[in-house]
Amino acid sequence: MTMNFFRGVMGGQPAGPQPTGAETIHKLCDRVASSTLLEDRRDAVRALKSLSKKYRLEVGTQAMDHLVHILQTDRSDSEILGYALDTLYNIICNDEEEEQDESEDMAAAPPIPVSGKHKNVPVSDENAQKQEEDLGVLFTDKFLGDSENVTLLLTLLEEFDFHVRWPGVKLLTALLKNQCNQVQGVILVSPMGVSRLMDLLADSREVIRNDGLLLLQQLTKGNAAIQKIVAFENAFERLLDIITEEGSSDGGIVVEDCLLLLVNLLKNNSSNQNFFKEGSYIQRMKPWFEVGDDNSGWSAQKVTNLHLMLQLVRVMVSPVNSPGATSSCQKSMYQCGLLQQLCTILMATGVPADILTETINTVSEVIRGSQINQDYFASVNAPSNPPRPAIVVLLMSMVNERQPFVLRCAVLYCFQCFLYKNQKGQGEIVATLLPSTIDANSISAGQLLCGGLFSADSLSNWCAAVALAHALQDNLTQKEQLLRVQLATSLGKPPVSLLQQCTNILSQGDKINRRGSKVQTRVGLLMLLCTWISNCPIAVTHFLHNQENVPFLTGQISENLGEDERLVQGLCALLLGICIYYNDNSLENYTKEKLKQLIEKRIGKENFVEKLGFVTKHELYSRAAQKPQPVFPSPEQMLFDHEFTKLVKELEGVITKAVHKTSEEEKKEEEVKKTLEQHDSIVIQYKDLIRDQDTQIQELREQVSTLSLNSEQMQNQITQQQSQIQQHKDQYNILKLKLGKDSQGLSSSHGEGAHVNGLHSEELSQLREEVEELRRQHTLQHTQLSDKDSLINTLRCGAAAAAQTAEGGAGGSDNTELLGEVESLRSRVQAQCAEISQLQTERLELIRRAEAVSSAPASSSESSADTVTVSELESRLAAQTTEAERLKEECRGLREGHAGLEQQLASAQSTVAIEQTEKTKLQQEVQESKKEQDDLLMLLADQDQKILNLKQRLRDLGETIDEDEDEIDARDQFGEDDDDDDDEEEDEENND
């Protein structure tokens, strides 16, 4: 019966009036809320989905709560979850897209005609479209009324089922489009919220992955915290992998979505930029820009992809980034070959104009302020015959009025970036204008700039003037060099200087036909002249030397011209003010005072200041001051240069003060300046002297520390020598004991030899044993004496080292003891020699007795055996005699080594005494330097007090003293005091 009722509502067409859409939706909502069967609820939600496009308001108003309840309770059925998510997406989304026509939706649709999305609202009707958008925002706010709904949606995204995950991604994307900040806040505090969304990029189903990219694009807009989380979730690696898989610049819209997401993650996010650089992802960008020889027939998608890739490079090196981060990225781009690849595109043929323009802008920012990149760019040549520098080829495009306006602006920006903080490049450009370097057979950058400066095209005039001004920016040398440039105006007339030719064009500006062009040309020339003569008194003198320049400027300023001419008047006032402020009074007719009197008489000071203010009040001035790149909607609005706005801001205030000062104030200020300069020179001299003395003191301290270190090393070596000597003493004592035993053995052998006269066999056997023992002891003695000899040699080497580094007489006493022990050993050896002599005497006596026994008529066999034994004893005694002679020779060698050790010890003691004297002398010199430094500090304190008094007098006279200078002086003074305190502490430590 339930199903029959449902069919009556949805499928059948009973007789009678048809229910309205609101009534049908109400019945379906009741069915969703009250049905106990899952199939009934599923069919009802499916029907709501079919009606959600045409009856968006009714479904959103009545069914949203029921749909959210379905998401909470029916988690086990993926089909009903998919229908609920699709329905919520239809009522929240504002996109004009067509949904897939699903046959099952059509089968479940009620008899109400269902047309395409918003077919009841004409697309051309803007008011109706705005109402639809407001409706999406309204339903989004209703859905976000409970933040748990977003958490629930994030949980559903973990479902792998396609019918749940895909509509969930689309719904969350729609919510982010309508209420980005609120949804971002909920996702940010949700546990693992961003991580769940990052998992979408790893989905094997491309449709989910691609819609996940769109979701992350919306999620990362304007939220640095989420951008960081996404980046540290390995987003860069995944996105670059997808770009490579899709074919890089030849890929489809997926590559575009990845690039847009990368731009979101990196733009104005220094943390992510550093992470991108440190992760070596810049190197992976190089293959994107590899182009072939045939560049014709690029698809629109490839142009879009390459344009975004170039923007991504510019994001990493944007001038708004911190200088350190920009410089680091520029270095990486040069090292990996990315800059070289971009220059290849720059010089390639067949590249679309918008890609070429964006490549020029990208190269501009990659080389801006980087000396190594600027040098490489200067070496790039175009593939022409003959080869020409890339700078020359680009300048040819800039001064060619047939080239697109955006391309000419890009070339100008590239030239400005090439010269930014590049004095070497500035000198090379100016050198191409000097007479000694002009080559008639080739086109140079200087010739192109002069040609553009004096051409009939006002835009070329402006671009060439600004480009030439950048060649002079903050470079006094090149400003003076440019004064040497001479131009040949026509045949038969003498050449004129470039400075004079610029002023001639200014004065003849009325001859230019178009009024707007005249203003643009004159503004460009005035900016060039202001940049040229600012902070260059020689250029000011050259400018004032032409008698027509000052009357022309005063005439321009004093006239009451129209609105278009006000900017020219302001720039003329600025130029005249620069002539006053940087005037060195070398021309008698145009000194500072006379120029101010001229302004007061012909213009009026207040009127002059008012005209000067016209520059900064111009609407295009603030636009140019925002960023370095010249971006203008039309050529007519191209009036101000970014660097020139900085110059105006710097000079406007000081020129106003200079004009209002009287002659007396000028004189007083000059006197005060001279006095301050004198005092400053004295202070500088004292500071230099103090620095020199600090350097000397530092060197002396280093010498003292070196000597202290050497002293410690010598002390350590002496300690080692003492320990070695002690070891030698112990070994010597052991040897001495063994030598005593040997002497006793020899004495006992001599006593037993006396019994040989009795010729008893027992006594001879005992004598034989004693001789054997004597031989063993002699061998042992020989071995020990050899060991002692090696030890004495070791001692001799150690004593030689101690002689070089020894300090004090501690080693001397130990050597004296050692020498005494050597003498004792010598006496022992002499005693042994005496005992051996006695043994020889006894041996002779034994021989004499043996001969007497052998002469007897009756001799037994035992007596002949004893005779053989005596012969053996004689041979052994002869060997002992030889050994004793050798020991005497060794003793003589030891005596000679002892004499050498004594000489080396005496030399070491004298060296230590000399070093101790030098150390005392160095300490005295340090004390004298400290006293001199104290005297100089007292003089400095007096000078500083005088300077403070003079500055106070200036303040009393109404002059403004720069507080920054006072802080710097005070900081220097405190820094020097701190250095002195540190020096005193170190001196005290050294004295201790």
Side-chain angles (χ1 to χ4, degrees):
M1 182 176 179
T2 301
M3 294 302 296
N4 291 332
F5 173 79
F6 185 73
R7 291 191 186 97
V9 174
M10 300 296 298
Q13 294 186 11
Q18 295 291 330
T20 63
E23 292 173 350
T24 303
I25 292 167
H26 180 69
K27 292 179 180 180
L28 291 173
C29 291
D30 289 341
R31 178 55 54 201
V32 171
S34 59
S35 294
T36 56
L37 294 177
L38 179 60
E39 292 80 1
D40 290 349
R41 294 197 301 276
R42 185 189 304 129
D43 291 339
V45 174
R46 182 177 175 184
L48 286 172
K49 174 191 171 185
S50 301
L51 297 173
S52 59
K53 289 185 177 181
K54 183 175 181 180
Y55 297 99
R56 184 182 179 190
L57 176 61
E58 291 80 0
V59 174
T61 304
Q62 300 183 40
M64 181 175 287
D65 294 337
H66 300 294
L67 295 172
V68 172
H69 184 70
I70 289 292
L71 297 179
Q72 295 170 345
T73 57
D74 291 330
R75 297 282 299 275
S76 60
D77 186 71
S78 60
E79 191 174 357
I80 193 172
L81 289 178
Y83 292 149
L85 290 170
D86 281 333
T87 307
L88 288 170
Y89 172 73
N90 289 339
I91 63 178
I92 287 175
C93 180
N94 294 318
D95 290 344
E96 294 291 336
E97 298 176 352
E98 292 186 0
E99 248 187 7
Q100 297 178 350
D101 186 16
E102 300 178 2
S103 58
E104 57 184 2
D105 290 350
M106 297 298 297
I112 304 170
V114 179
S115 59
K117 186 177 181 182
H118 303 309
K119 286 297 178 67
N120 59 329
V121 181
V123 178
S124 60
D125 190 349
E126 295 181 359
N127 293 329
Q129 181 64 30
K130 187 176 185 304
Q131 291 177 0
E132 290 293 323
E133 293 176 358
D134 293 341
L135 198 60
V137 175
L138 176 66
F139 289 137
T140 300
D141 291 338
K142 183 178 180 181
F143 184 83
L144 297 176
D146 186 0
S147 61
E148 291 298 323
N149 292 342
V150 178
T151 306
L152 174 63
L153 191 55
L154 292 173
T155 306
L156 292 175
L157 290 180
E158 295 181 350
E159 296 287 340
F160 188 74
D161 191 283
F162 179 81
H163 295 90
V164 177
R165 202 171 210 187
W166 187 38
V169 171
K170 294 194 296 180
L171 175 58
L172 188 56
T173 305
L175 292 171
L176 282 165
K177 287 181 180 179
N178 293 335
Q179 290 292 349
C180 187
N181 294 336
Q182 191 173 352
V183 179
Q184 284 174 338
V186 177
I187 294 176
L188 193 59
V189 299
S190 176
M192 301 296 291
V194 178
S195 299
R196 294 172 183 172
L197 301 181
M198 286 298 299
D199 291 340
L200 298 174
L201 297 182
D203 200 303
S204 58
R205 295 159 293 191
E206 290 190 1
V207 64
I208 294 180
R209 184 199 67 183
N210 298 344
D211 282 349
L213 288 171
L214 299 177
L215 169 61
L216 290 172
Q217 284 181 27
Q218 298 296 327
L219 179 66
T220 55
K221 282 185 177 179
N223 193 307
I226 292 180
Q227 290 169 1
K228 292 179 183 178
I229 296 174
V230 171
F232 283 96
E233 288 284 346
N234 206 23
F236 294 141
E237 185 75 28
R238 296 185 186 183
L239 292 174
L240 293 175
D241 289 342
I242 294 174
I243 291 173
T244 304
E245 292 170 2
E246 295 291 329
S248 297
S249 60
D250 294 322
I253 195 170
V254 177
V255 173
E256 178 183 349
D257 292 336
C258 291
L259 292 170
L260 287 171
L261 179 54
L262 284 172
V263 171
N264 278 358
L265 294 174
L266 293 173
K267 192 171 185 179
N268 299 325
N269 193 317
S270 57
S271 174
N272 283 1
Q273 289 173 7
N274 185 62
F275 182 62
F276 190 85
K277 179 184 70 67
E278 295 296 334
S280 300
Y281 296 118
I282 291 178
Q283 288 81 339
R284 296 185 60 178
M285 297 167 66
K286 179 188 173 184
W288 297 352
F289 304 102
E290 294 177 354
V291 296
D293 297 332
D294 185 13
N295 296 308
S296 59
W298 284 20
S299 65
Q301 186 62 55
K302 180 173 183 178
V303 172
T304 301
N305 291 344
L306 202 54
H307 197 275
L308 287 171
M309 291 172 178
L310 292 169
Q311 284 188 0
L312 189 62
V313 175
R314 294 185 65 184
V315 165
M316 298 297 296
V317 293
S318 174
V320 301
N321 297 342
S322 64
T326 299
S327 176
S328 179
C329 291
Q330 289 172 334
K331 183 178 179 181
S332 297
M333 290 177 183
Y334 173 76
Q335 291 176 344
C336 74
L338 179 57
L339 174 60
Q340 293 84 330
Q341 204 66 48
L342 293 173
C343 291
T344 302
I345 298 177
L346 201 64
M347 296 291 105
T349 57
V351 178
D354 51 348
I355 293 298
L356 180 60
T357 301
E358 188 65 19
T359 303
I360 294 173
N361 288 326
T362 305
V363 171
S364 304
E365 294 182 352
V366 172
I367 68 174
R368 186 176 189 269
S370 173
Q371 187 65 53
I372 185 171
N373 291 6
Q374 290 167 339
D375 291 344
Y376 171 76
F377 184 70
S379 67
V380 175
N381 288 323
S384 59
N385 192 13
R388 290 175 177 171
I391 297 174
V392 173
V393 176
L394 291 175
L395 289 177
M396 291 171 68
S397 300
M398 186 186 74
V399 298
N400 187 351
E401 56 183 315
R402 290 176 294 181
Q403 293 292 340
F405 173 64
V406 290
L407 179 62
R408 299 174 74 181
C409 291
V411 173
L412 175 61
Y413 184 45
C414 184
F415 191 75
Q416 292 174 349
C417 292
F418 170 68
L419 298 178
Y420 182 71
K421 294 183 179 180
N422 183 11
Q423 294 195 352
K424 178 182 176 183
Q426 290 175 326
E428 292 172 352
I429 297 299
V430 173
T432 60
L433 288 165
L434 299 179
S436 58
T437 58
I438 293 178
D439 186 1
N441 297 323
S442 63
I443 300 177
S444 65
Q447 293 173 358
L448 290 171
L449 290 177
C450 282
L453 193 63
F454 306 127
S455 71
D457 179 31
S458 61
L459 184 59
S460 297
N461 300 155
W462 190 91
C463 291
V466 171
L468 198 54
H470 277 262
L472 306 175
Q473 195 77 38
D474 300 327
N475 195 326
L476 180 61
T477 302
Q478 302 310 322
K479 291 178 181 180
E480 295 176 356
Q481 286 292 321
L482 200 62
L483 295 172
R484 297 169 48 200
V485 177
Q486 299 290 321
L487 302 176
T489 55
S490 60
L491 293 175
K493 292 186 178 180
V496 297
S497 66
L498 177 61
L499 183 67
Q500 183 59 44
Q501 185 65 15
C502 291
T503 56
N504 292 341
I505 295 176
L506 275 177
S507 60
Q508 297 171 2
D510 294 333
K511 297 180 181 179
I512 300 176
N513 295 328
R514 292 178 296 174
R515 186 174 182 81
S517 300
K518 179 191 69 174
V519 171
Q520 190 174 42
T521 300
R522 298 173 74 188
V523 167
L525 290 172
L526 285 168
M527 288 195 299
L528 171 60
L529 291 173
C530 290
T531 305
W532 191 347
I533 71 173
S534 65
N535 201 23
C536 183
I538 298 177
V540 172
T541 302
H542 277 72
F543 181 79
L544 295 176
H545 193 269
N546 187 347
Q547 302 294 327
E548 299 177 357
N549 289 341
V550 173
F552 167 73
L553 293 177
T554 55
Q556 288 287 316
I557 299 170
S558 60
E559 290 183 5
N560 292 322
L561 301 175
E563 189 71 23
D564 295 338
E565 294 290 331
R566 281 190 169 188
L567 178 59
V568 176
Q569 286 184 309
L571 292 174
C572 288
L574 178 66
L575 183 59
L576 186 57
I578 292 173
C579 292
I580 295 174
Y581 187 72
Y582 291 107
N583 195 333
D584 58 359
N585 297 325
S586 58
L587 293 177
E588 185 178 355
N589 294 332
Y590 294 110
T591 60
K592 286 185 178 182
E593 186 60 31
K594 290 185 177 180
L595 286 176
K596 287 192 290 186
Q597 292 175 1
L598 186 64
I599 289 175
E600 189 171 3
K601 290 179 181 178
R602 297 189 180 181
I603 305 171
K605 292 183 179 180
E606 299 299 330
N607 190 25
F608 177 84
V609 173
E610 181 183 359
K611 297 292 177 67
L612 181 62
F614 286 164
V615 179
T616 55
K617 293 177 181 178
H618 199 279
E619 58 179 353
L620 297 178
Y621 174 87
S622 57
R623 181 183 301 177
Q626 292 175 0
K627 56 182 180 179
Q629 183 180 0
V631 179
F632 303 97
S634 63
E636 292 76 16
Q637 297 185 9
M638 202 170 187
L639 291 178
F640 284 104
D641 173 58
H642 177 75
E643 292 296 328
F644 181 73
T645 60
K646 294 181 180 179
L647 181 65
V648 174
K649 185 177 180 181
E650 177 186 349
L651 294 178
E652 184 180 11
V654 295
I655 289 175
T656 302
K657 291 180 180 179
V659 170
H660 282 293
K661 286 179 182 176
T662 62
S663 58
E664 295 180 356
E665 292 175 347
E666 283 283 348
K667 292 179 181 179
K668 291 181 181 179
E669 185 176 354
E670 289 294 331
E671 292 176 357
V672 172
K673 282 184 178 180
K674 289 180 180 179
T675 305
L676 290 175
E677 288 176 357
Q678 293 176 356
H679 286 290
D680 289 341
S681 63
I682 295 173
V683 170
I684 291 172
Q685 291 176 1
Y686 279 123
K687 286 182 178 180
D688 292 339
L689 180 60
I690 291 174
R691 288 192 189 97
D692 294 339
Q693 289 186 346
D694 287 339
T695 305
Q696 294 176 1
I697 291 173
Q698 186 64 30
E699 292 176 353
L700 291 174
R701 285 175 177 169
E702 291 177 356
Q703 292 178 4
V704 170
S705 62
T706 303
L707 290 174
S708 300
L709 182 61
N710 292 338
S711 176
E712 292 177 0
Q713 292 177 352
M714 291 166 63
Q715 190 65 37
N716 294 332
Q717 291 178 359
I718 290 172
T719 304
Q720 293 177 0
Q721 291 290 335
Q722 288 176 350
S723 64
Q724 291 178 0
I725 291 171
Q726 185 62 40
Q727 292 176 2
H728 295 165
K729 286 180 180 180
D730 297 339
Q731 294 175 0
Y732 176 74
N733 290 331
I734 294 171
L735 180 61
K736 185 166 61 175
L737 292 174
K738 290 182 179 180
L739 288 175
K741 291 180 180 179
D742 292 342
S743 299
Q744 293 176 3
L746 289 173
S747 300
S748 62
S749 297
H750 175 69
E752 291 176 357
H755 295 284
V756 178
N757 296 326
L759 301 177
H760 299 293
S761 58
E762 294 180 357
E763 293 178 353
L764 288 174
S765 299
Q766 188 176 2
L767 178 61
R768 190 179 297 114
E769 291 174 359
E770 291 294 336
V771 170
E772 289 293 332
E773 180 67 23
L774 178 62
R775 186 174 64 182
R776 286 195 299 269
Q777 291 179 357
H778 172 70
T779 303
L780 178 63
Q781 180 185 8
H782 181 269
T783 304
Q784 291 175 348
L785 285 175
S786 299
D787 296 338
K788 184 61 180 178
D789 186 46
S790 63
L791 290 173
I792 289 174
N793 289 332
T794 304
L795 177 61
R796 186 181 302 165
C797 296
Q804 297 176 0
T805 57
E807 180 178 337
S813 61
D814 293 334
N815 287 333
T816 304
E817 293 179 3
L818 179 59
L819 294 174
E821 292 172 357
V822 171
E823 290 294 331
S824 176
L825 176 61
R826 187 186 307 152
S827 62
R828 290 274 188 183
V829 172
Q830 290 176 354
Q832 281 189 350
C833 292
E835 290 175 355
I836 290 170
S837 299
Q838 186 177 0
L839 283 173
Q840 287 177 346
T841 304
E842 292 177 356
R843 181 181 64 82
L844 294 175
E845 183 67 26
L846 283 172
I847 292 173
R848 196 166 46 250
R849 291 180 183 181
E851 289 176 352
V853 173
S854 62
S855 63
S859 59
S860 62
S861 59
E862 292 180 356
S863 64
S864 62
D866 291 338
T867 303
V868 174
T869 303
V870 169
S871 299
E872 291 178 356
L873 286 173
E874 288 176 353
S875 62
R876 291 175 182 175
L877 286 173
Q880 288 288 339
T881 303
T882 304
E883 186 66 25
E885 292 295 331
R886 192 184 65 80
L887 288 174
K888 289 179 180 179
E889 292 296 328
E890 290 181 356
C891 288
R892 282 195 293 272
L894 288 174
R895 282 196 294 271
E896 292 175 357
H898 165 63
L901 287 175
E902 287 180 343
Q903 292 178 357
Q904 293 175 356
L905 182 61
S907 175
Q909 290 175 349
S910 63
T911 304
V912 169
I914 292 171
E915 289 179 350
Q916 189 66 29
T917 304
E918 290 179 353
K919 180 178 177 182
T920 304
K921 188 182 300 182
L922 288 174
Q923 289 178 348
Q924 292 176 355
E925 291 177 357
V926 169
Q927 292 296 328
E928 292 175 357
S929 299
K930 179 181 173 184
K931 291 179 180 180
E932 292 177 0
Q933 188 175 5
D934 292 337
D935 296 337
L936 290 174
L937 288 174
M938 291 296 294
L939 291 174
L940 277 176
D942 295 338
Q943 294 295 334
D944 290 338
Q945 186 61 40
K946 292 180 181 179
I947 292 171
L948 291 175
N949 294 335
L950 289 172
K951 289 182 178 179
Q952 186 60 40
R953 287 176 57 191
L954 285 173
R955 292 192 183 95
D956 296 338
L957 293 172
E959 294 296 326
T960 303
I961 303 299
D962 192 356
E963 296 297 329
D964 294 338
E965 295 180 357
D966 293 344
E967 294 177 1
I968 292 172
D969 293 340
R971 200 178 302 120
D972 291 341
Q973 183 177 359
F974 292 142
E976 293 172 355
D977 294 340
D978 293 340
D979 292 340
D980 295 337
D981 294 339
D982 293 340
D983 294 341
E984 292 176 2
E985 292 177 0
E986 292 180 1
D987 292 337
E988 291 176 359
E989 292 178 358
N990 291 330
N991 293 332
D992 293 338

